[in-house]
Amino acid sequence: MNFPSELKYTKDHEWVRIEGNEAYIGITDFAQRELGDIVYIDINTVGDEVSQDDVFGTVEAVKTVSDLFMPLTGTVTEVNAALNDNPELVNTDPYGAGWMVKVTLADASQAEGLLTADAYKALVGA
């Protein structure tokens, strides 16, 4: 499994890449493996401020639907449109082309409470 060290992680298996006061968010390699083949992403929170730990959408796999939890409070400014036609990008490239949302952060200092790659690796037993 892949755990890029430049990212931050949550106990709910989301990753965050912070760029200034913006962040890209998706689900981890571990999460996509646990879910299996992803068939649909439902995110209808564009323009909304979503608080840390609140649900910002769902990801649907062949056998289950899982909530997506916001790692940091922020306003959703963009949903990855490529996932509409190719939700399997989350399976094939979870940290790249499979990103899910871009947000403008309300408080970047919240990132200090997220997990490092090593801490997340320990959480999932990798």
Side-chain angles (χ1 to χ4, degrees):
M1 272 184 285
N2 190 6
F3 303 93
S5 61
E6 70 276 9
L7 303 178
K8 295 287 191 175
Y9 300 86
T10 72
K11 62 180 178 9
D12 297 310
H13 312 292
E14 283 85 22
W15 59 262
V16 181
R17 183 176 73 238
I18 297 172
E19 297 179 356
N21 72 333
E22 297 184 320
Y24 288 87
I25 297 167
I27 63 170
T28 65
D29 193 16
F30 174 84
Q32 69 82 18
R33 286 174 189 238
E34 291 291 304
L35 288 167
D37 292 337
I38 293 172
V39 296
Y40 185 67
I41 311 292
D42 182 21
I43 300 170
N44 59 6
T45 49
V46 172
D48 296 347
E49 180 169 284
V50 182
S51 295
Q52 187 175 32
D53 299 326
D54 283 357
V55 173
F56 71 87
T58 58
V59 59
E60 184 176 334
V62 173
K63 297 180 183 174
T64 189
V65 176
S66 292
D67 286 335
L68 297 165
F69 297 97
M70 185 61 68
L72 303 164
T73 299
T75 301
V76 178
T77 57
E78 186 179 345
V79 174
N80 184 351
L83 300 180
N84 292 336
D85 295 327
N86 299 298
E88 66 276 3
L89 288 171
V90 176
N91 291 117
T92 59
D93 190 9
Y95 302 116
W99 65 273
M100 294 183 172
V101 293
K102 181 179 174 183
V103 301
T104 299
L105 300 173
D107 181 4
S109 71
Q110 287 180 331
E112 295 166 18
L114 298 176
L115 302 171
T116 63
D118 288 340
Y120 181 72
K121 202 182 300 186
L123 176 77
V124 299

